[in-house]
Amino acid sequence: MHCKVKNHSNLDMNRTLPLVKNLYSYAQGQMGFKNPAHITFQTDPENAEKDLGRTAHYHPDTHTITIYTDKRHIKDILRSIAHELVHHDQNCNGAFEKPFETGPGYAQKDDRMRDLERDAYERGNMIFRDWEDTYKQALNETNYYRKETPKMSNKITEDSIRQIVRKVLQERQAKKETEVITEVVEQTETKKVSDDQWYNNALFDSLKKRWTK
């Protein structure tokens, strides 16, 4: 399944994308939607200055999630993605085939839309919480493998780190239920990277910074 990610913001995608991909894959596995969603990270300084500005919205016709990123913590951004992915799941199940209202106060005026919004808050928050706990557990397992690595003149080689990364990936692959390939679009540059490649690169960089001088 392909998920196109467009970055029209100042987010550091080397830091952000591995988390987005992992969350997207987890949410898809939990909800089972068949059509891919697309994610756009958007900057809007004027919106960011508003105390109650927009954080995100979903376009049912294009299956696109727009996330506003200015002055937001990455964890809050990821929580918004989880919320909007529930709306995507609702859309894939036909919830938006009937006419619907999204103007001011729609969640108070339209009982059907209120139920859909309640579902997005409940499922989105719980999916995000479960994913976060699972992701942190995976990091703890990575730290465990650090203890198994032999000391080599107080400096761990890159080859040793790569062996640890491969070991973690092999165990993750055995539990893997779905593969998500993300196409990143930043300005004019486009490249496709597999889940394992992104996870491998991110994990390797993290371990390298921690264990090498």
Side-chain angles (χ1 to χ4, degrees), residues 42-213:
Q42 185 69 49
T43 186
D44 187 339
E46 183 177 347
N47 177 70
E49 292 302 319
K50 299 177 181 178
D51 291 338
L52 299 177
R54 296 170 295 179
T55 54
H57 55 81
Y58 175 69
H59 300 273
D61 293 340
T62 60
H63 295 181
T64 300
I65 294 169
T66 299
I67 304 291
Y68 297 95
T69 63
D70 301 296
K71 299 182 179 180
R72 298 181 66 189
H73 193 283
I74 182 61
K75 187 171 180 178
D76 186 44
I77 290 173
L78 293 169
R79 187 181 292 108
S80 287
I81 292 175
H83 178 99
E84 300 303 330
L85 282 174
V86 176
H87 285 315
H88 177 63
D89 182 58
Q90 294 168 343
N91 187 33
C92 291
N93 290 320
F96 298 123
E97 291 179 356
K98 298 179 181 179
F100 59 92
E101 173 63 39
T102 59
Y106 74 90
Q108 290 76 43
K109 299 175 183 178
D110 187 323
D111 289 341
R112 184 172 69 89
M113 293 301 294
R114 185 175 181 82
D115 288 341
L116 292 176
E117 199 62 41
R118 180 186 294 110
D119 178 42
Y121 274 104
E122 292 178 354
R123 278 202 291 160
N125 283 340
M126 290 310 301
I127 284 174
F128 178 78
R129 175 59 187 270
D130 292 343
W131 166 80
E132 181 184 2
D133 290 346
T134 301
Y135 190 84
K136 288 179 178 177
Q137 180 61 35
L139 293 181
N140 289 337
E141 291 175 2
T142 302
N143 291 334
Y144 170 78
Y145 288 120
R146 178 185 180 187
K147 299 177 182 178
E148 295 185 344
T149 305
K151 294 182 178 180
M152 302 175 64
S153 302
N154 296 324
K155 184 176 181 181
I156 298 176
T157 65
E158 291 189 9
D159 184 63
S160 298
I161 296 175
R162 292 186 184 279
Q163 291 179 14
I164 296 172
V165 171
R166 283 195 294 269
K167 187 171 183 179
V168 174
L169 287 175
Q170 287 171 357
E171 294 191 358
R172 287 173 59 87
Q173 182 66 30
K175 301 176 182 179
K176 192 174 181 182
E177 295 180 356
T178 182
E179 180 182 10
V180 178
I181 299 177
T182 305
E183 180 180 346
V184 188
V185 180
E186 291 190 82
Q187 297 178 350
T188 59
E189 180 182 1
T190 302
K191 58 182 179 179
K192 297 181 180 179
V193 187
S194 70
D195 254 354
D196 287 345
Q197 286 174 315
W198 266 108
Y199 185 82
N200 194 331
N201 292 341
L203 188 55
F204 174 75
D205 288 342
S206 176
L207 293 175
K208 184 177 179 181
K209 290 178 182 178
R210 183 181 301 177
W211 295 341
T212 62
K213 296 181 181 179

